[in-house]
């Protein structure tokens, strides 16, 4: 009986891991948001709750996070992931084709939506200050 239970648990674990691998590769192969953002720079207009409107350049790169990174001169480096799709009982992590979220070491969060060659969204820092932004594909931030 112990051998049968052990084989069943091994089969369940193998099926679970295969499902995780399949969902990760299918998300990228199917075109999650990372495929639309990686390697692109965006010229952005921002409105801040604690200051005047400003402009910035957002750049999406591969880097230190497990998925992709967002970098700009004002806010620094963020780790990002595409939004989760599916349901609570059957989530598909990092699989949205048009929505993303990013966070930095201090807790500042940026989220956004992709529409064609534009992105827009909002962000909040640890003090509760917020911003909204809209961007179009632009020149490199360098």
């Amino acid at each position: 009986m112990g051998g049968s239970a052990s084989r069943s648990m091994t089969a369940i674990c193998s099926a679970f891991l295969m499902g995780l691998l399949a969902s990760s590769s299918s998300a990228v192969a199917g075109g999650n948001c990372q495929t639309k953002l990686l390697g692109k720079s965006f010229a952005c207009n921002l409105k801040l709750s604690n200051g005047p409107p400003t402009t910035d350049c957002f750049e999406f790169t591969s880097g230190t996070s497990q998925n992709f990174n967002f970098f700009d001169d004002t806010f620094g480096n963020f780790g990002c992931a595409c939004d989760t799709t599916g349901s609570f009982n059957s989530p598909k992590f990092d699989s949205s084709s048009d929505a993303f979220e990013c966070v930095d070491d201090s807790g500042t969060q940026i989220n956004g939506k992709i529409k064609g060659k534009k992105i827009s969204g909002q962000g909040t820092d640890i003090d509760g200050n917020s911003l909204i932004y809209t961007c179009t594909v632009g020149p490199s931030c360098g």
Side-chain angles (χ1 to χ4, degrees):
M1 184 118 186
S4 175
S6 176
R7 283 189 299 274
S8 294
M9 185 55 88
T10 300
I12 290 169
C13 288
S14 293
F16 175 74
L17 290 173
M18 288 173 65
L20 282 176
L21 291 173
S23 67
S24 294
S25 62
S26 67
V28 173
N32 71 355
C33 75
Q34 181 174 341
T35 62
K36 296 177 180 178
L37 295 171
L38 197 61
K40 291 193 173 112
S41 298
F42 292 84
C44 303
N45 294 301
L46 293 79
K47 291 189 178 181
L48 311 170
S49 67
N50 62 338
T54 188
T55 59
D56 205 346
C57 183
F58 294 177
E59 190 166 24
F60 292 89
T61 63
S62 57
T64 57
S65 79
Q66 95 180 20
N67 297 308
F68 61 103
N69 289 67
F70 157 85
F71 178 80
D72 85 322
D73 289 333
T74 303
F75 302 107
N77 195 44
F78 290 70
C80 302
C82 301
D83 281 4
T84 301
T85 61
S87 66
F88 181 80
N89 291 331
S90 185
K92 294 177 183 156
F93 294 101
D94 191 38
S95 63
S96 174
S97 65
D98 63 358
F100 61 93
E101 297 187 28
C102 305
V103 64
D104 72 3
D105 290 340
S106 69
T108 299
Q109 299 178 355
I110 301 283
N111 65 62
K113 298 268 186 193
I114 306 164
K115 291 184 182 174
K117 294 185 177 189
K118 295 183 178 185
I119 59 172
S120 61
Q122 62 186 33
T124 307
D125 70 16
I126 196 165
D127 295 321
N129 299 307
S130 57
L131 65 84
I132 59 172
Y133 68 90
T134 184
C135 311
T136 55
V137 172
S140 175
C141 295

